[in-house]
Amino acid sequence: MTQHFQSEYDLHCHSYYSDGTLSPQQLVELAQQRSVKYLALTDHDTVAGLEVIQSAAASTDLTIIAGVEISVTWCKKVLHIVGLNIDPKSEALLTLLSRLQQVRQQRAQLMGEKLEKLGCTGVLETALQYAGIGMVTRSHFGRALLDLGYVSHMEAAFSKYLRQGKPGYVTVEWATLAETIEAIRQAGGHAVLAHPQRYNMSATWMRRLLMEFKALGGSAIEVVYGAYNRNQICTARDYAVRFGLMGSVGSDLHFPDQPWVKLGSLAPLPSNVTPIWTQF
Ligand code: AMP
Ligand code: MN
Ligand code: MN
Ligand code: MN
């Protein structure tokens, strides 16, 4: 039986400032419909939507937590570190993000060239058009491959072209783990390891990562994540307890029409994990 949970906290979601489809205003409306009281907007490598969502929520009882999801390269693996309760005007943070924004632009060009050579013409132009004012991401390339008819569904865009090791993938150097945690802390925020079980890491690698993350000043891991089942939540809880990390909860909503991911539809944080929001 599927249980339907509803949390007042959802500390991970995307708007069209990165690869979400909703505007900040629409996210505020959705949060209100879903009785979410504390919402963090965490777009990929940008804080551009934060001022907009703060003002959209100003006349409501919804509290916005300023956030960001930063792309990190650690031991040749790509990690996502969510910064929560940050100052979006922090120099240190903005400097890091502007570098990552350049990396995104350059990578998009290279991905476009690779796909062009594979016979997928026009993908870059379409992806950039979909990204609009937001960060250009592989999600936009996936949608472009789909809409231009090069694949028949989104998952195929990733499994055929966009995933690491596939011919459309371009390896880039994102931020280091150390500078990311440092920038988030300088911005007065807390560093959270996003979706720990999406990295396909062995237990040994995960322990190595969490030890380093903690030593560098990381605060929490996402214990309750949109698509996690009970077992995954227990595993993440055990990691939090073992490494003295707090817990966060987030749906990672990108589109409102994914039936398996709903804003605020999150199991409660296990009671032996300290919620990251006790620090806000
Ligand atoms: P990027 O940060 O530009 O490399 O893009 C990563 C984004 O692509 C993630 O945040 C997801 O939103 C999306 N993504 C990654 N893998 C998949 C997949 N298999 N299917 C659909 N979207 C994916
Ligand atoms: Mn994404
Ligand atoms: Mn992520
Ligand atoms: Mn995300």
Side-chain angles (χ1 to χ4, degrees):
M1 195 185 85
T2 317
Q3 269 182 291
H4 294 282
F5 293 111
Q6 188 58 37
S7 168
E8 289 195 338
Y9 289 85
D10 192 328
L11 303 179
H12 186 163
C13 73
H14 296 269
S15 75
Y16 63 37
Y17 283 89
S18 65
D19 55 354
T21 54
L22 298 181
S23 66
Q25 174 71 48
Q26 287 171 313
L27 279 170
V28 167
E29 287 161 17
L30 189 58
Q32 289 184 288
Q33 283 164 28
R34 310 237 357 128
S35 309
V36 170
K37 297 277 182 268
Y38 301 86
L39 180 72
L41 176 62
T42 55
D43 276 312
H44 295 286
D45 303 318
T46 180
V47 291
L50 294 178
E51 210 171 307
V52 189
I53 199 164
Q54 295 279 10
S55 52
S59 55
T60 73
D61 62 352
L62 174 68
T63 301
I64 299 295
I65 313 293
V68 64
E69 183 172 14
I70 301 181
S71 311
V72 166
T73 304
W74 178 80
C75 297
K76 301 197 169 141
K77 304 172 199 303
V78 178
L79 307 175
H80 286 172
I81 303 294
V82 164
L84 291 179
N85 212 23
I86 49 165
D87 169 10
K89 295 202 160 65
S90 156
E91 280 289 309
L93 184 63
L94 291 173
T95 303
L96 179 64
L97 295 180
S98 91
R99 194 180 96 213
L100 296 176
Q101 288 160 16
Q102 281 177 18
V103 172
R104 281 197 173 277
Q105 283 295 335
Q106 289 160 2
R107 180 187 68 156
Q109 297 294 327
L110 295 172
M111 283 175 66
E113 286 169 24
K114 277 190 141 184
L115 290 167
E116 201 78 30
K117 286 192 185 128
L118 292 164
C120 304
T121 51
V123 177
L124 174 65
E125 292 68 22
T126 307
L128 289 174
Q129 194 187 323
Y130 289 165
I133 57 167
M135 294 293 100
V136 60
T137 72
R138 280 184 295 154
S139 303
H140 300 106
F141 277 85
R143 275 174 54 204
L145 283 163
L146 181 63
D147 293 351
L148 294 172
Y150 298 118
V151 291
S152 57
H153 54 280
M154 189 66 163
E155 199 45 46
F158 278 84
S159 61
K160 254 182 105 169
Y161 294 108
L162 302 177
R163 205 173 272 166
Q164 193 165 12
K166 299 297 168 186
Y169 188 83
V170 172
T171 303
V172 291
E173 281 296 315
W174 298 111
T176 68
L177 185 60
E179 67 184 336
T180 299
I181 296 172
E182 178 61 20
I184 291 170
R185 285 167 59 109
Q186 281 198 31
H190 289 275
V192 180
L193 177 67
H195 40 66
Q197 292 169 66
R198 279 239 324 247
Y199 306 119
N200 293 320
M201 268 187 216
S202 66
T204 308
W205 273 105
M206 189 53 77
R207 281 197 300 271
R208 193 178 294 177
L209 168 60
L210 290 173
M211 209 136 65
E212 195 170 327
F213 178 72
K214 173 77 181 179
L216 289 168
S219 298
I221 67 176
E222 263 175 2
V223 171
V224 180
Y225 178 71
Y228 279 1
N229 59 35
R230 231 186 121 69
N231 276 339
Q232 292 172 302
I233 293 171
C234 290
T235 304
R237 172 203 61 194
D238 292 347
Y239 278 129
V241 170
R242 177 158 169 202
F243 290 90
L245 294 163
M246 288 177 275
S248 188
V249 304
S251 63
D252 203 8
L253 179 102
H254 285 74
F255 328 102
D257 47 357
Q258 279 176 301
W260 62 96
V261 181
K262 287 203 187 313
L263 206 66
S265 185
L266 295 160
L269 200 58
S271 59
N272 55 343
V273 176
T274 306
I276 185 67
W277 55 86
T278 56
Q279 311 300 305
F280 299 161

